[in-house]
Amino acid sequence: MARSQTTKKLTRIQRQRTDIILEAALDVFSDFGFRGSTIDMIAKRAKLSKPNILYYFDNKEAIHVTVLAKLLETWLAPLHAINEDNDPIDEICKYIEQKLNMARDFPRESKLFANEILQGAPHVLPELQGALKDLVAQKVKIIEAWSKDGKIAQVDPHHLFFSIWATTQHYADFDIQVRSVLDDNTKDPFDTAGPFLKTMFSTMLTP
Amino acid sequence: MARSQTTKKLTRIQRQRTDIILEAALDVFSDFGFRGSTIDMIAKRAKLSKPNILYYFDNKEAIHVTVLAKLLETWLAPLHAINEDNDPIDEICKYIEQKLNMARDFPRESKLFANEILQGAPHVLPELQGALKDLVAQKVKIIEAWSKDGKIAQVDPHHLFFSIWATTQHYADFDIQVRSVLDDNTKDPFDTAGPFLKTMFSTMLTP
DNA sequence: AAAAAACTTGACCGTATGGTCAGATATGTA
DNA sequence: TACATATCTGACCATACGGTCAAGTTTTTT
């Protein structure tokens, strides 16, 4: 059997099917949440039978956990990229742009992540308290150094990150609300959000 | 029978029980989402029997809709309060403080609303496109007038509101993430968020 | 080509859940 | 008090869903 393989080499079909299933699962989970999704929905979307899905994953939760784990990697990538040696405000603006691009290009991932956190992070709490916390702590030090050197204004680094996360992800997670309020579909919210956010954070950070 | 009463006067017990049920439902729905909640959970929390719940509400969805409708009223109150005649930056800061207080004092409402929007607003889309959109349009005009008069800097009013919503609600909706990253439980995130956000938006809006 | 391994599925099971209903109990009213 | 109305509930039903399994099909290996 293929399931619960730990550090075994995968066959061609295993890799293919697993990818198809995870892609379908991302689709379904991000639309209906964990409890609102059924294995049948995922199966239909993946064009596989339900038992076939359960041949590759032990159960529904295992699919969810795997999707989340994959997602977290790419989710944290932009944060990793912040570099102490470059111009502070350029780096922050670059970070904002990357986060906003991710919200635009990967709304399913953003919504799924939001859903997970809203429910109290039942599957990723350890990662939040471990990897994420450590990574943030590291970047917080960079911000503090910039402040101390007078390169940027004095700001609470944690809240700076929270604000960037909140504002960028808002356009993916609350997409329906944003579009309802704007409604004049002449402009893409993302296009106008970029300059707005960069201006806002630049203004605050300029000493 | 008591259910589906349209414009009939309610008995004392009807009012009491309805309130108890809605309170319990808010608890459960905000914790588990619509699909993750069961009528039995609500019944247990309300200390009523399941059929008794269904005596007052036609079905699970009716409870959800009612909870959301009640919630929306209080949710939009702070926005209503923005007054053109007062000092612009004071008004915005007051709005931020009110939104942040709501996130702190009514996290269940915030999470439930977030959940609803994340799922595509199946129950409140008309309100978003109607009442909310109109209210925002009205307040956008105030911001634009302030800008034109040189009282505040030129900013996109819509994105200004989006940013305020995103940053304030973030502390309720992503509470678990915020606390995971901060972890030093010496400070309450809400206490430090207030000054941070007011500074950020004031700085941006000062001409 | 044949055996072995990997993959797939129709049919099935147990449980959870939304919802119903007939009848019991409490409450209000004449 | 007696009647009517409102409130409440145990028992029940139908469906949906997570998950299993034995048997079949395809792919890989020898």
Side-chain angles (χ1 to χ4, degrees), chain B residues 19-81:
Chain B
D19 283 353
I20 290 173
I21 293 168
L22 291 177
E23 168 67 21
L26 177 58
D27 244 37
V28 176
F29 282 141
S30 66
D31 259 20
F32 304 99
F34 178 71
R35 310 237 194 181
S37 306
T38 71
I39 303 181
D40 266 323
M41 288 182 189
I42 298 172
K44 198 175 177 185
R45 191 114 204 161
K47 289 179 182 169
L48 297 172
S49 69
K50 182 168 71 165
N52 203 4
I53 302 269
L54 290 166
Y55 172 72
Y56 290 102
F57 291 90
D58 283 341
N59 48 45
K60 186 180 161 185
E61 203 173 344
I63 308 175
H64 194 241
V65 169
T66 307
V67 171
L68 275 174
K70 240 186 136 182
L71 149 75
L72 266 183
E73 285 176 41
T74 56
W75 213 236
L76 297 183
L79 189 51
H80 268 108

Side-chain angles (χ1 to χ4, degrees), chain A residues 100-116:
Chain A
L100 203 56
N101 285 343
M102 291 196 63
R104 181 211 300 252
D105 299 335
F106 306 110
R108 295 176 308 172
E109 281 83 349
S110 185
K111 286 186 179 187
L112 184 54
F113 182 73
N115 219 310
E116 167 73 6

Side-chain angles (χ1 to χ4, degrees), chain B residues 11 14 17 55-56:
Chain B
T11 69
Q14 271 167 29
R17 297 291 187 274
Y55 172 72
Y56 290 102

